[in-house]
Amino acid sequence: MGLIHIELFATLDLVGQAPGGPDEDPVGFPFGGWQAPLMDEVAGAQVGAAYEGTDALLLGRRTYDIFAAYWPHQEGGADDGIATLFNRVPKYVASRGNPDLSWAGSTRLGPDLAGAVREVRDRHEHVKVVGSLNLVQTLLREKLFDRLDLWVHPIVLGVGKKVFDGGAVPTNLTLLQPPTAGPRGTVYLRYGLADGTPATGDMSAPDRGAGRDG
C-alpha cells in the first residue's frame, strides 16, 4: 500500500481558497492570488522537495482544469522540474461531471470516491494531493491520507473556503519534523496521521502542576 500526501497552502485563519491567482475561483472571493506576494525562495524549495518521489497526482476538478491548462506548456522553462513530473505521472480526477481529460495520463475516479482513492493508493507508492479543497475535506473526513504538508501564511482574510470547512472528524496528527519559517513569515508544517482520536484531560491534575509557584 502506498502513501497519500496532501499539499496545502493556507492563511492564518486556515483559508485555502484560490492561493495561486485571481482566476482560480473568481466568483464571490476577492482575494484570489493571496499567496503570490508571500512566496520566497525558502517556500519554493520546500514545495519542490515535497514532490520528490511522486508517482501519481490526485486532484479535484477545478485544480485539474487549472493544472491541465498550464503545466503541459511549462517544460523547458523555469518550472521544468515540476512540469516534467506532473506531465509524466498518472493524474486521477475527482469529479461528479464529465470533465475534459485531454491531459495525458488522466483518469476520472468513480462515484465511490473513498473506494477509488483506496485503489489509487494500492496502485502507487507516493500519491500527491494538491489544492482541491473539496477533495481534501473528503480525505480528511475519511482519514484517507498519510501526511499533511501545510504552509501557513501570515495573513488573515476572514472570508473564503477553509481547510476544515465542515465535516471534519476528531483526528490525531503527529509532527514529523520541526516547523520551519521563511523570511516572509510563512511557516511550513509537516504532519502525519496518527492513531486514535484526541484525548482530554484536567489541567489541574497533579502532573500538570510542575513548575507552578506555590
Side-chain angles (χ1 to χ4, degrees), residues 6-111:
I6 298 173
E7 314 292 328
L8 275 181
F9 307 110
T11 65
L12 198 59
D13 53 339
L14 289 184
V15 173
Q17 185 173 358
D23 297 329
E24 280 189 24
D25 202 355
V27 179
F29 182 63
F31 294 109
W34 54 262
Q35 183 189 21
L38 298 169
M39 279 297 292
D40 54 51
E41 292 183 359
V42 172
Q46 291 168 342
V47 172
Y51 289 118
E52 292 179 3
T54 297
D55 62 353
L57 293 176
L58 182 57
L59 305 170
R61 166 68 181 274
R62 186 182 295 275
T63 300
Y64 174 82
D65 288 343
I66 294 169
F67 279 19
Y70 180 79
W71 288 112
H73 312 292
Q74 303 307 311
E75 291 192 29
D79 295 320
D80 177 73
I82 292 181
T84 300
L85 172 66
F86 282 7
N87 292 329
R88 172 177 53 82
V89 301
K91 277 75 68 174
Y92 297 94
V93 186
S95 175
R96 296 184 181 90
N98 294 298
D100 174 11
L101 300 181
S102 55
W103 192 10
S106 300
T107 303
R108 177 179 173 270
L109 298 176

Side-chain angles (χ1 to χ4, degrees), residues 90-172:
K91 277 75 68 174
Y92 297 94
V93 186
S95 175
R96 296 184 181 90
N98 294 298
D100 174 11
L101 300 181
S102 55
W103 192 10
S106 300
T107 303
R108 177 179 173 270
L109 298 176
D112 177 10
L113 182 57
V117 170
R118 291 186 178 95
E119 290 180 4
V120 170
R121 182 160 63 177
D122 288 340
R123 198 175 303 144
H124 298 280
E125 293 296 323
H126 297 284
V127 182
K128 287 293 191 301
V129 184
V130 189
S132 310
L133 274 184
N134 290 338
L135 171 61
V136 164
Q137 289 165 5
T138 298
L139 300 180
L140 295 173
R141 184 169 58 249
E142 298 288 338
K143 297 189 179 182
L144 269 174
F145 71 100
D146 301 281
R147 193 179 81 198
L148 172 62
D149 287 354
L150 186 64
W151 284 266
V152 179
H153 298 70
I155 54 173
V156 174
L157 298 182
V159 296
K161 300 175 185 176
K162 295 190 175 184
V163 174
F164 297 101
D165 251 0
V169 298
T171 303
N172 284 331

